[in-house]
């Protein structure tokens, strides 16, 4: 089974990004055997920001093994929103 990746786009200067970090880390720890979790710094990774048309952060994009977007966690990013996406892809 190919692993799906959750990409979190954030910035060190983003207050809401800092607020969701503990939640992200907890989910990442719990589900890392089933999914990949990647953190992308919007201040340094312009290529990924442009590829996924990131216009606001924090943003979480779900991609397949070929780095094609499958879905996004709805804004505002919440623990329940992330878990909803995880449940969708556990089937």
């Amino acid at each position: 089974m190919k692993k799906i990746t959750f990409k979190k786009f954030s910035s060190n200067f983003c207050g809401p990004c800092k607020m969701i970090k503990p939640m992200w880390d907890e989910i990442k720890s719990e589900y890392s055997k089933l999914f990949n979790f990647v953190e992308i710094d919007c201040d340094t990774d312009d290529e990924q920001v442009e590829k996924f048309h990131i216009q606001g952060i924090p943003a979480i994009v779900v991609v397949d093994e070929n780095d094609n977007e499958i879905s996004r966690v709805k804004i505002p990013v919440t623990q329940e929103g992330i878990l909803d996406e995880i449940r969708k892809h556990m089937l």
Side-chain angles (χ1 to χ4, degrees):
M1 180 174 145
K2 303 275 185 185
K3 274 195 174 181
I4 288 176
T5 300
F6 285 74
K7 292 186 171 192
K8 179 176 72 108
F9 291 82
S10 63
S11 166
N12 290 330
F13 303 104
C14 167
C17 299
K18 291 177 185 177
M19 288 175 55
I20 72 163
K21 184 164 179 25
M23 169 187 59
W24 170 263
D25 290 343
E26 180 182 328
I27 290 171
K28 183 169 77 170
S29 174
E30 187 170 341
Y31 292 96
S32 63
K33 290 183 180 172
L34 298 172
F35 302 102
N36 295 316
F37 292 86
V38 176
E39 296 181 41
I40 297 168
D41 185 343
C42 293
D43 296 325
T44 60
D45 197 338
D46 292 338
E47 183 179 324
Q48 287 288 300
V49 170
E50 289 177 23
K51 177 178 180 176
F52 293 104
H53 307 286
I54 302 302
Q55 296 181 357
I57 55 174
I60 298 176
V61 178
V62 185
V63 299
D64 64 16
E65 65 275 2
N66 296 315
D67 207 34
N68 296 313
E69 182 174 335
I70 298 171
S71 62
R72 291 181 184 228
V73 174
K74 291 186 171 112
I75 302 296
V77 173
T78 63
Q79 183 169 7
E80 193 58 35
I82 297 171
L83 292 174
D84 283 348
E85 285 300 321
I86 285 173
R87 287 184 205 106
K88 286 180 192 175
H89 299 292
M90 287 180 75
L91 304 174

